[in-house]
Short mmCIF file of all heavy atoms in Angstrom, two decimals:
data_model
loop_
_atom_site.label_atom_id
_atom_site.label_comp_id
_atom_site.label_asym_id
_atom_site.label_seq_id
_atom_site.Cartn_x
_atom_site.Cartn_y
_atom_site.Cartn_z
N LEU A 440 101.26 110.39 79.32
CA LEU A 440 100.88 110.32 80.72
C LEU A 440 101.37 109.18 81.55
O LEU A 440 101.32 109.15 82.77
CB LEU A 440 99.39 110.34 80.91
CG LEU A 440 98.68 111.73 80.46
CD1 LEU A 440 97.17 111.71 80.73
CD2 LEU A 440 99.25 112.87 81.37
N PHE A 441 102.00 108.20 80.80
CA PHE A 441 102.64 107.12 81.63
C PHE A 441 103.83 106.49 80.84
O PHE A 441 104.93 106.47 81.43
CB PHE A 441 101.65 106.07 81.93
CG PHE A 441 102.27 105.00 82.78
CD1 PHE A 441 102.62 105.16 84.05
CD2 PHE A 441 102.44 103.72 82.28
CE1 PHE A 441 103.25 104.14 84.86
CE2 PHE A 441 103.05 102.62 82.97
CZ PHE A 441 103.43 102.91 84.23
N PHE A 442 103.67 105.83 79.75
CA PHE A 442 104.70 104.98 79.23
C PHE A 442 105.91 105.64 78.77
O PHE A 442 106.98 105.10 78.81
CB PHE A 442 104.07 104.25 77.99
CG PHE A 442 103.04 103.21 78.36
CD1 PHE A 442 101.74 103.29 77.87
CD2 PHE A 442 103.36 102.03 79.15
CE1 PHE A 442 100.77 102.36 78.18
CE2 PHE A 442 102.41 101.13 79.46
CZ PHE A 442 101.20 101.32 79.02
N GLY A 443 105.85 106.89 78.47
CA GLY A 443 107.00 107.67 78.11
C GLY A 443 107.88 108.05 79.17
O GLY A 443 109.25 107.94 79.25
N TYR A 444 107.40 108.60 80.24
CA TYR A 444 108.34 109.02 81.44
C TYR A 444 108.49 107.97 82.45
O TYR A 444 109.43 107.99 83.18
CB TYR A 444 107.75 110.36 82.13
CG TYR A 444 106.45 110.00 82.92
CD1 TYR A 444 106.53 109.70 84.19
CD2 TYR A 444 105.22 110.26 82.34
CE1 TYR A 444 105.45 109.40 84.98
CE2 TYR A 444 104.03 110.22 83.03
CZ TYR A 444 104.10 109.63 84.30
OH TYR A 444 103.05 109.45 85.02
N TYR A 445 107.64 106.99 82.55
CA TYR A 445 107.78 105.98 83.60
C TYR A 445 109.22 105.24 83.59
O TYR A 445 109.71 105.09 84.73
CB TYR A 445 106.64 104.90 83.58
CG TYR A 445 106.86 103.97 84.87
CD1 TYR A 445 106.74 104.36 86.12
CD2 TYR A 445 107.39 102.74 84.57
CE1 TYR A 445 106.96 103.53 87.12
CE2 TYR A 445 107.61 101.90 85.63
CZ TYR A 445 107.36 102.20 86.93
OH TYR A 445 107.67 101.42 87.96
N PRO A 446 109.63 104.85 82.53
CA PRO A 446 111.03 104.14 82.55
C PRO A 446 111.97 105.05 83.00
O PRO A 446 113.08 104.50 83.70
CB PRO A 446 111.23 103.69 81.02
CG PRO A 446 109.86 103.61 80.56
CD PRO A 446 109.02 104.64 81.16
N ILE A 447 111.92 106.46 82.81
CA ILE A 447 112.96 107.37 83.34
C ILE A 447 112.76 107.48 84.88
O ILE A 447 113.74 107.41 85.62
CB ILE A 447 112.82 108.59 82.68
CG1 ILE A 447 112.99 108.48 81.09
CG2 ILE A 447 113.74 109.69 83.16
CD1 ILE A 447 112.49 109.71 80.26
N VAL A 448 111.61 107.69 85.31
CA VAL A 448 111.25 107.97 86.75
C VAL A 448 111.47 106.61 87.56
O VAL A 448 111.95 106.68 88.69
CB VAL A 448 109.76 108.36 86.91
CG1 VAL A 448 109.41 108.37 88.25
CG2 VAL A 448 109.61 109.76 86.29
N LYS A 449 111.26 105.43 86.94
CA LYS A 449 111.45 104.22 87.53
C LYS A 449 112.85 104.17 88.26
O LYS A 449 112.98 103.67 89.27
CB LYS A 449 111.37 103.12 86.50
CG LYS A 449 111.78 101.64 87.00
CD LYS A 449 111.47 100.72 85.82
CE LYS A 449 112.11 99.44 86.12
NZ LYS A 449 111.95 98.80 87.47
N SER A 450 113.92 104.50 87.45
CA SER A 450 115.30 104.44 88.00
C SER A 450 115.43 105.30 89.22
O SER A 450 116.25 105.00 90.05
CB SER A 450 116.38 104.67 86.87
OG SER A 450 116.13 105.96 86.37
N LEU A 451 114.73 106.49 89.25
CA LEU A 451 114.84 107.39 90.41
C LEU A 451 114.10 106.68 91.63
O LEU A 451 114.68 106.81 92.72
CB LEU A 451 114.19 108.63 90.07
CG LEU A 451 114.99 109.51 89.02
CD1 LEU A 451 114.09 110.73 88.61
CD2 LEU A 451 116.30 109.98 89.50
N LEU A 452 113.05 106.11 91.31
CA LEU A 452 112.29 105.51 92.35
C LEU A 452 113.02 104.29 93.04
O LEU A 452 112.88 103.92 94.23
CB LEU A 452 110.90 105.01 91.99
CG LEU A 452 109.89 106.03 91.57
CD1 LEU A 452 108.62 105.54 90.92
CD2 LEU A 452 109.53 106.87 92.72
N GLU A 453 113.79 103.57 92.23
CA GLU A 453 114.49 102.42 92.71
C GLU A 453 115.65 102.74 93.52
O GLU A 453 116.39 101.87 94.11
CB GLU A 453 114.91 101.51 91.52
CG GLU A 453 113.60 100.90 90.95
CD GLU A 453 113.93 99.95 89.72
OE1 GLU A 453 114.98 100.01 89.11
OE2 GLU A 453 113.01 99.26 89.43
N LYS A 454 115.97 104.10 93.70
CA LYS A 454 117.08 104.52 94.60
C LYS A 454 116.64 104.70 95.99
O LYS A 454 117.42 104.88 96.91
CB LYS A 454 117.67 105.82 94.07
CG LYS A 454 118.42 105.71 92.72
CD LYS A 454 118.99 107.00 92.29
CE LYS A 454 119.76 106.81 90.97
NZ LYS A 454 120.29 108.13 90.54
N LEU A 455 115.34 104.58 96.29
CA LEU A 455 114.68 104.61 97.55
C LEU A 455 115.28 103.43 98.39
O LEU A 455 115.28 102.36 97.85
CB LEU A 455 113.14 104.64 97.54
CG LEU A 455 112.56 106.03 96.83
CD1 LEU A 455 111.02 105.85 96.66
CD2 LEU A 455 112.90 107.14 97.65
N LYS A 456 115.35 103.58 99.58
CA LYS A 456 115.94 102.47 100.52
C LYS A 456 114.79 101.58 100.81
O LYS A 456 115.00 100.36 101.00
CB LYS A 456 116.50 103.19 101.87
CG LYS A 456 117.71 103.98 101.51
CD LYS A 456 118.88 103.27 101.16
CE LYS A 456 120.06 104.24 101.07
NZ LYS A 456 120.83 103.86 100.10
N LEU A 457 113.56 102.08 101.06
CA LEU A 457 112.42 101.25 101.45
C LEU A 457 111.68 100.67 100.20
O LEU A 457 111.16 101.37 99.47
CB LEU A 457 111.42 102.09 102.36
CG LEU A 457 111.92 102.61 103.53
CD1 LEU A 457 111.05 103.49 104.23
CD2 LEU A 457 112.31 101.54 104.56
N ARG A 458 111.72 99.44 100.08
CA ARG A 458 111.00 98.72 98.88
C ARG A 458 109.52 98.96 99.05
O ARG A 458 108.89 99.16 97.90
CB ARG A 458 111.29 97.28 98.92
CG ARG A 458 112.62 96.85 98.52
CD ARG A 458 112.81 96.95 97.02
NE ARG A 458 114.18 96.64 96.57
CZ ARG A 458 114.78 97.50 95.75
NH1 ARG A 458 114.28 98.55 95.31
NH2 ARG A 458 116.00 97.21 95.47
N PHE A 459 108.94 98.94 100.18
CA PHE A 459 107.47 99.18 100.22
C PHE A 459 107.15 100.52 99.65
O PHE A 459 106.17 100.73 99.04
CB PHE A 459 107.05 99.05 101.77
CG PHE A 459 105.59 99.49 101.95
CD1 PHE A 459 104.60 98.65 101.55
CD2 PHE A 459 105.24 100.75 102.41
CE1 PHE A 459 103.26 99.02 101.70
CE2 PHE A 459 103.99 101.14 102.59
CZ PHE A 459 102.88 100.27 102.23
N LEU A 460 107.93 101.57 100.05
CA LEU A 460 107.71 102.97 99.65
C LEU A 460 107.87 103.01 98.07
O LEU A 460 107.09 103.68 97.36
CB LEU A 460 108.61 104.00 100.28
CG LEU A 460 108.43 105.43 99.91
CD1 LEU A 460 106.97 105.88 100.23
CD2 LEU A 460 109.51 106.26 100.66
N GLU A 461 108.93 102.39 97.54
CA GLU A 461 109.20 102.34 96.22
C GLU A 461 107.94 101.81 95.39
O GLU A 461 107.56 102.44 94.46
CB GLU A 461 110.42 101.53 95.89
CG GLU A 461 110.74 101.13 94.43
CD GLU A 461 111.74 100.14 94.21
OE1 GLU A 461 112.60 99.92 95.11
OE2 GLU A 461 111.51 99.38 93.24
N TRP A 462 107.55 100.64 95.87
CA TRP A 462 106.33 100.04 95.13
C TRP A 462 105.11 100.74 95.36
O TRP A 462 104.24 100.97 94.40
CB TRP A 462 106.18 98.53 95.53
CG TRP A 462 107.15 97.68 94.68
CD1 TRP A 462 108.39 97.15 95.08
CD2 TRP A 462 106.96 97.25 93.32
NE1 TRP A 462 108.88 96.44 94.07
CE2 TRP A 462 108.07 96.59 93.00
CE3 TRP A 462 106.02 97.60 92.44
CZ2 TRP A 462 108.24 95.97 91.76
CZ3 TRP A 462 106.13 97.03 91.12
CH2 TRP A 462 107.29 96.25 90.85
N ALA A 463 104.92 101.35 96.50
CA ALA A 463 103.73 102.23 96.76
C ALA A 463 103.72 103.30 95.76
O ALA A 463 102.74 103.72 95.16
CB ALA A 463 103.59 102.67 98.16
N LEU A 464 104.78 104.02 95.59
CA LEU A 464 104.96 105.18 94.71
C LEU A 464 104.73 104.77 93.26
O LEU A 464 103.99 105.43 92.42
CB LEU A 464 106.17 105.89 94.84
CG LEU A 464 106.40 106.75 96.21
CD1 LEU A 464 107.76 107.21 96.35
CD2 LEU A 464 105.35 107.86 96.26
N LYS A 465 105.35 103.59 92.90
CA LYS A 465 105.17 103.09 91.52
C LYS A 465 103.70 102.80 91.14
O LYS A 465 103.26 103.28 90.09
CB LYS A 465 105.98 101.79 91.28
CG LYS A 465 107.45 102.06 91.24
CD LYS A 465 108.22 100.73 91.02
CE LYS A 465 109.67 100.85 90.81
NZ LYS A 465 110.38 99.60 90.75
N LEU A 466 103.00 102.11 92.10
CA LEU A 466 101.66 101.85 91.92
C LEU A 466 100.74 103.00 91.87
O LEU A 466 99.79 103.13 91.20
CB LEU A 466 101.14 100.81 92.93
CG LEU A 466 101.71 99.36 92.75
CD1 LEU A 466 101.50 98.56 93.93
CD2 LEU A 466 101.04 98.81 91.49
N LEU A 467 101.12 104.03 92.75
CA LEU A 467 100.34 105.34 92.86
C LEU A 467 100.50 106.05 91.42
O LEU A 467 99.52 106.45 90.82
CB LEU A 467 100.83 106.13 93.94
CG LEU A 467 100.20 107.60 94.04
CD1 LEU A 467 98.76 107.46 94.33
CD2 LEU A 467 100.88 108.49 95.07
N ILE A 468 101.80 106.13 90.99
CA ILE A 468 101.98 106.65 89.65
C ILE A 468 101.24 106.04 88.54
O ILE A 468 100.55 106.75 87.74
CB ILE A 468 103.42 106.81 89.29
CG1 ILE A 468 104.27 107.82 90.27
CG2 ILE A 468 103.78 107.13 87.86
CD1 ILE A 468 105.76 107.63 90.26
N PHE A 469 101.30 104.80 88.48
CA PHE A 469 100.58 103.98 87.52
C PHE A 469 99.06 104.29 87.55
O PHE A 469 98.39 104.55 86.44
CB PHE A 469 100.72 102.51 87.67
CG PHE A 469 99.84 101.68 86.69
CD1 PHE A 469 100.18 101.57 85.38
CD2 PHE A 469 98.79 100.97 87.24
CE1 PHE A 469 99.42 100.82 84.49
CE2 PHE A 469 98.04 100.14 86.39
CZ PHE A 469 98.25 100.20 85.02
N ASN A 470 98.53 104.21 88.74
CA ASN A 470 97.07 104.32 88.88
C ASN A 470 96.55 105.74 88.56
O ASN A 470 95.56 106.01 87.89
CB ASN A 470 96.63 103.84 90.12
CG ASN A 470 96.48 102.34 90.37
OD1 ASN A 470 95.65 101.77 89.77
ND2 ASN A 470 97.46 101.85 91.12
N VAL A 471 97.24 106.76 89.04
CA VAL A 471 96.80 108.27 88.64
C VAL A 471 97.01 108.41 87.23
O VAL A 471 96.09 109.07 86.64
CB VAL A 471 97.75 109.20 89.60
CG1 VAL A 471 97.64 110.55 89.06
CG2 VAL A 471 97.46 109.02 91.02
N ALA A 472 98.09 107.92 86.65
CA ALA A 472 98.35 108.07 85.19
C ALA A 472 97.24 107.40 84.41
O ALA A 472 96.68 108.11 83.39
CB ALA A 472 99.65 107.59 84.83
N MET A 473 96.82 106.30 84.66
CA MET A 473 95.91 105.58 83.88
C MET A 473 94.43 106.18 84.11
O MET A 473 93.77 106.37 83.16
CB MET A 473 95.75 104.01 84.32
CG MET A 473 96.92 103.25 83.81
SD MET A 473 97.08 103.29 82.04
CE MET A 473 98.73 103.93 81.86
N VAL A 474 94.07 106.51 85.26
CA VAL A 474 92.81 107.14 85.53
C VAL A 474 92.74 108.52 84.78
O VAL A 474 91.81 108.87 84.17
CB VAL A 474 92.43 107.29 86.96
CG1 VAL A 474 91.26 108.13 87.30
CG2 VAL A 474 92.27 105.83 87.72
N SER A 475 93.82 109.21 84.88
CA SER A 475 93.93 110.59 84.24
C SER A 475 93.86 110.39 82.74
O SER A 475 93.17 111.21 82.09
CB SER A 475 95.29 111.32 84.64
OG SER A 475 95.26 111.40 86.02
N ALA A 476 94.60 109.44 82.28
CA ALA A 476 94.62 109.31 80.82
C ALA A 476 93.29 108.88 80.17
O ALA A 476 92.82 109.53 79.15
CB ALA A 476 95.70 108.14 80.44
N TYR A 477 92.59 107.97 80.80
CA TYR A 477 91.24 107.64 80.35
C TYR A 477 90.29 108.78 80.54
O TYR A 477 89.32 108.84 79.82
CB TYR A 477 90.89 106.18 80.78
CG TYR A 477 91.57 105.20 80.02
CD1 TYR A 477 92.77 104.65 80.44
CD2 TYR A 477 91.23 105.00 78.65
CE1 TYR A 477 93.51 103.69 79.67
CE2 TYR A 477 91.89 104.02 77.90
CZ TYR A 477 93.00 103.48 78.42
OH TYR A 477 93.73 102.61 77.70
N PHE A 478 90.37 109.47 81.65
CA PHE A 478 89.47 110.60 81.92
C PHE A 478 89.57 111.63 80.76
O PHE A 478 88.62 112.14 80.24
CB PHE A 478 89.77 111.15 83.22
CG PHE A 478 88.93 112.34 83.63
CD1 PHE A 478 87.65 112.22 84.15
CD2 PHE A 478 89.28 113.65 83.33
CE1 PHE A 478 86.72 113.28 84.46
CE2 PHE A 478 88.45 114.76 83.68
CZ PHE A 478 87.20 114.56 84.07
N LEU A 479 90.83 111.84 80.53
CA LEU A 479 91.11 112.86 79.38
C LEU A 479 90.62 112.37 78.04
O LEU A 479 89.96 113.03 77.23
CB LEU A 479 92.61 113.12 79.22
CG LEU A 479 93.23 114.12 80.19
CD1 LEU A 479 94.68 114.22 80.08
CD2 LEU A 479 92.60 115.58 80.07
N LEU A 480 90.90 111.10 77.78
CA LEU A 480 90.45 110.48 76.50
C LEU A 480 89.06 110.52 76.36
O LEU A 480 88.42 110.85 75.24
CB LEU A 480 91.05 109.05 76.36
CG LEU A 480 92.45 108.93 76.09
CD1 LEU A 480 93.05 107.56 76.38
CD2 LEU A 480 92.84 109.37 74.71
N ILE A 481 88.25 110.20 77.32
CA ILE A 481 86.82 110.17 77.33
C ILE A 481 86.32 111.53 77.34
O ILE A 481 85.32 111.89 76.49
CB ILE A 481 86.25 109.38 78.51
CG1 ILE A 481 86.63 107.78 78.22
CG2 ILE A 481 84.77 109.45 78.68
CD1 ILE A 481 86.51 106.96 79.44
N ASN A 482 86.66 112.35 78.25
CA ASN A 482 85.99 113.72 78.37
C ASN A 482 86.61 114.82 77.51
O ASN A 482 85.83 115.77 77.02
CB ASN A 482 86.07 114.13 79.86
CG ASN A 482 85.31 113.16 80.76
OD1 ASN A 482 84.10 112.99 80.40
ND2 ASN A 482 85.85 112.65 81.69
N LEU A 483 87.92 114.87 77.16
CA LEU A 483 88.53 115.87 76.40
C LEU A 483 88.47 115.50 74.94
O LEU A 483 88.23 116.36 74.03
CB LEU A 483 89.98 116.14 76.94
CG LEU A 483 90.62 117.35 76.17
CD1 LEU A 483 89.97 118.55 76.51
CD2 LEU A 483 92.12 117.47 76.77
N PHE A 484 88.83 114.25 74.67
CA PHE A 484 88.97 113.88 73.19
C PHE A 484 87.75 113.24 72.75
O PHE A 484 87.64 112.82 71.55
CB PHE A 484 90.18 112.96 73.07
CG PHE A 484 91.57 113.64 73.26
CD1 PHE A 484 92.22 113.37 74.32
CD2 PHE A 484 92.00 114.46 72.28
CE1 PHE A 484 93.48 114.02 74.52
CE2 PHE A 484 93.21 115.13 72.39
CZ PHE A 484 93.98 114.91 73.59
N GLY A 485 86.79 113.04 73.62
CA GLY A 485 85.51 112.54 73.10
C GLY A 485 85.45 111.01 72.79
O GLY A 485 84.62 110.66 71.92
#
């Protein structure tokens, strides 16, 4: 949900012209991934 694909997606995000947008998307991806990962771990995997 994060560590595997993020290094690949990171290089795509860094092609954006606006640094603010780049970092906003990076932080959004991180937060959504972490919340989703722990939600799954707690609720699906018990």
